[in-house]
Amino acid sequence: MVTSVTNFGRSGLYDWLFQRVSAAILTAYTIFIVAYIYTHPGLTYDEWSELFSHFWMRFFSLLTLLSLAGHSWIGLWGVLTDYVTPLQMGSKATFVRISLQLILFTVTVAYTVWGIEILWGI
């Protein structure tokens, strides 16, 4: 079996499973936030700040942030490996694909670190 060094998990099955679990987490978080906003009309900064002062909400937000980062990385990796190929790009396809993956990985890590800093005030 050939293992690619650019994918997230150990195999396509792990990537598929991670995307399904992360999608469930993202869905649960979205439903919770929408329901919270709907049940708190005229939401103020103090109420919003109070919600995010609880450990469970910060943890849920962190889990969602990490799920978003992993989910997007797997999706972008799949799109790049499917559409940036030698048939479309010629001989420079590998260089272009790896360059794009590096840029997207850097952006994903930067946003994830930034989100953690916002959540936990590090």
Side-chain angles (χ1 to χ4, degrees):
M1 179 170 82
V2 176
T3 304
S4 176
V5 296
T6 57
N7 66 350
F8 186 72
R10 291 178 277 182
S11 71
L13 176 62
Y14 288 105
D15 289 349
W16 179 86
L17 185 59
F18 183 85
Q19 272 205 309
R20 296 315 169 260
V21 170
S22 65
I25 292 169
L26 292 167
T27 301
Y29 191 81
T30 301
I31 290 170
F32 173 79
I33 292 295
V34 168
Y36 187 82
I37 291 170
Y38 182 74
T39 58
H40 292 82
L43 188 64
T44 65
Y45 174 79
D46 292 332
E47 291 172 323
W48 194 250
S49 182
E50 172 65 24
L51 173 65
F52 280 89
S53 69
H54 298 288
F55 175 79
W56 64 268
M57 186 60 192
R58 286 185 180 186
F59 182 76
F60 191 24
S61 297
L62 176 64
L63 188 62
T64 303
L65 179 64
L66 296 176
S67 295
L68 180 63
H71 190 97
S72 63
W73 172 251
I74 293 170
L76 290 170
W77 177 84
V79 168
L80 289 174
T81 55
D82 286 347
Y83 294 107
V84 182
T85 64
L87 293 175
Q88 285 87 16
M89 303 286 299
S91 61
K92 60 184 177 182
T94 302
F95 173 76
V96 171
R97 185 176 59 243
I98 296 297
S99 298
L100 288 172
Q101 286 176 337
L102 180 61
I103 291 166
L104 293 171
F105 177 76
T106 303
V107 169
T108 301
V109 169
Y111 282 154
T112 303
V113 169
W114 189 21
I116 291 169
E117 183 179 334
I118 290 169
L119 279 174
W120 297 97
I122 297 174

